[in-house]
Amino acid sequence: MLKGLKQSRTTLAITLLALLSSASVIANTESCHVRITGTVPEGIPLDNLFVSASYEHQFPITTRTFSVCASKQELNVNGTFIPNSRLSLSYKVDGIPKGVFDASLFVQTKEVELSDISGMAMTACDRRCNYYQYQKMLSSELVANAVIEHAAAFAKISDDDIEAKIAINSATQSGLDKAFKGERPIQSIIAKEDSSDTPDPYSGSSYGLLKPENTKMGQFKDRFATGVKEAKFDELKLSNLAEKYKSEFAPFLQGGFKSWAEQVNTVDQFVDILNKSGSETEIKMALLLKQTVADAEQYYQDYVSNKGDTPFDDLNHAKQSFDLLLANWTISAYLNYKDEQVFSALFSERFKREDVPNISRESDKALSQLMFMPGYFTMMNIEKGYENIQRNYYGLLNDSATEYHFKDELHSVSFIYEEGAWRLDHVSQIPMNHYEIL
């Protein structure tokens, strides 16, 4: 009896240990957002050796060949196209860190091998690469050759020959620029930009898009005032009418309606009162009020409609690759975000009608990031940024003449060809501080 009980307890213990072990593996798998591997070169001491992902997190390295698992909370990679985040393999000498290898980090990164190649790819990018372009640099023959040639050139000079080092680095960078630019022809533009007047990369992009409620109520107020002047009412009769219906007119002149539907309902009630009076002036005013409602409605319908609205020549061509379309759309938005009517033509009718009325802060930020792309992709030189967008997004989608839908771990964007031009139909992006959101 006791023997059987002992065996049962032993079996239970083994089962619990297996479950705990399984749970531990699952937990580690869930928190392992990026696997970091590498081989420490001979001659580099293993004492005080570590991989750093941010100022707050360091991973001790104790073996020549290493593999480290890092969570997104430990990496702190910003949710943007070029986060300027890096991993470094370093060791300390007298408390001072000395770098061995570096590598770029992106939201999309799943695995990193720290090596001479990863660092040279970073140099080739020079803060111009998104995740996809950095992957191209990692596999580039020119980058691999640069690693070999750079090491060989430095082996021939003394440590204190600063001029020689500068010359070698300059020659290396020239070769790396060729790797970054590639051999594919890139379209260029000449863009006139006021450096003091650029879109905010973090918020406010949707402010230039009209929402139906405010637009219709604003149009009604302006058009009603203009309509009264143009209707050529008899001044005395108009004055008497205004005095008679003072309380009814007040909301239309001063505003205060909570919604367009409420305003239209109030207009209809007032129109019924005016028509029942039977006087020529009151009937004329009733017609003006109804016409003003119709005109305000039509103004908004014309705004959301894209019929005949093709102000951007580069977006009118149906046949263009995704990378070129992205460059053309973002540079058009970047340069025209303050021109209400022209800016509107960049968006699909569905986007303006369905998404804009209830646009969230997150969507506004995503749109702001997208519009600022030309500024991101080469330190505020938007002409070069326009070119680099093409390099960074080349080959990610098959060519289309009707629609593009792109989505990855960082952002998603959709374009449709509508009424003779490409329009944005959807955009989203993870928060900048996504690593803080558990």
Side-chain angles (χ1 to χ4, degrees), residues 146-176:
V147 170
I148 298 169
E149 293 168 4
H150 189 267
F154 263 74
K156 296 176 182 178
I157 64 172
S158 61
D159 285 343
D160 58 355
D161 193 343
I162 305 301
E163 288 187 6
K165 288 182 178 180
I166 293 172
I168 292 169
N169 287 335
S170 178
T172 300
Q173 189 62 59
S174 178
L176 293 176

Side-chain angles (χ1 to χ4, degrees), residues 9 26 52 81 84 110 164 170 175 179 199-200 218 234 267 403-404:
R9 285 177 176 175
I26 292 170
S52 58
F81 306 111
N84 195 27
K110 295 291 183 290
S170 178
D200 188 318
D234 180 278
V267 168
E403 59 184 27
Y404 283 111

Side-chain angles (χ1 to χ4, degrees), residues 318-343:
K319 293 184 178 180
Q320 55 183 295
S321 60
F322 173 65
D323 59 283
L324 179 58
L325 169 59
L326 192 60
N328 283 331
W329 191 95
T330 55
I331 196 71
S332 299
Y334 187 100
L335 294 173
N336 296 277
Y337 76 104
K338 281 194 171 181
D339 189 327
E340 182 181 285
Q341 198 59 45
V342 171
F343 185 60

Side-chain angles (χ1 to χ4, degrees), residues 249-416:
F249 277 120
F252 302 128
L253 301 174
Q254 299 170 6
F257 292 104
K258 293 181 180 179
S259 68
W260 175 243
E262 179 189 352
Q263 181 163 345
V264 171
N265 184 56
T266 304
V267 168
D268 289 341
Q269 292 175 9
F270 188 26
V271 165
D272 286 343
I273 293 171
L274 291 171
N275 282 330
K276 288 175 182 177
S277 71
S279 77
E280 181 182 342
T281 302
E282 286 165 308
I283 291 173
K284 187 175 181 180
M285 180 59 69
L287 289 172
L288 176 60
L289 284 166
K290 291 294 287 183
Q291 186 59 50
T292 305
V293 168
D295 289 346
E297 290 277 9
Q298 189 60 51
Y299 178 88
Y300 181 72
Q301 295 307 316
D302 291 343
Y303 171 80
V304 297
S305 172
N306 285 317
K307 289 182 179 178
D309 200 3
T310 54
F312 303 105
D313 289 342
D314 289 336
L315 294 176
N316 297 344
H317 308 296
K319 293 184 178 180
Q320 55 183 295
S321 60
F322 173 65
D323 59 283
L324 179 58
L325 169 59
L326 192 60
N328 283 331
W329 191 95
T330 55
I331 196 71
S332 299
Y334 187 100
L335 294 173
N336 296 277
Y337 76 104
K338 281 194 171 181
D339 189 327
E340 182 181 285
Q341 198 59 45
V342 171
F343 185 60
S344 164
L346 292 167
F347 302 88
S348 71
E349 181 171 337
R350 188 213 62 78
F351 185 89
K352 287 183 282 189
R353 194 181 297 280
E354 297 178 15
D355 292 359
V356 171
N358 301 301
I359 197 163
S360 64
R361 289 180 63 187
E362 289 73 20
S363 296
D364 175 74
K365 289 178 180 179
L367 180 57
S368 297
Q369 287 277 294
L370 184 70
M371 285 168 50
F372 200 75
M373 260 193 178
Y376 270 127
F377 278 87
T378 188
M379 298 298 288
M380 298 303 297
N381 182 334
I382 61 172
E383 292 179 357
K384 295 297 182 184
Y386 174 83
E387 296 174 5
N388 289 342
I389 291 169
Q390 296 172 63
R391 295 185 177 103
N392 277 267
Y393 283 87
Y394 171 63
L396 300 185
L397 294 179
N398 294 327
D399 288 356
S400 172
T402 56
E403 59 184 27
Y404 283 111
H405 303 284
F406 175 82
K407 184 177 182 179
D408 65 8
E409 292 87 347
L410 173 66
H411 70 132
S412 64
V413 61
S414 296
F415 295 98
I416 61 171

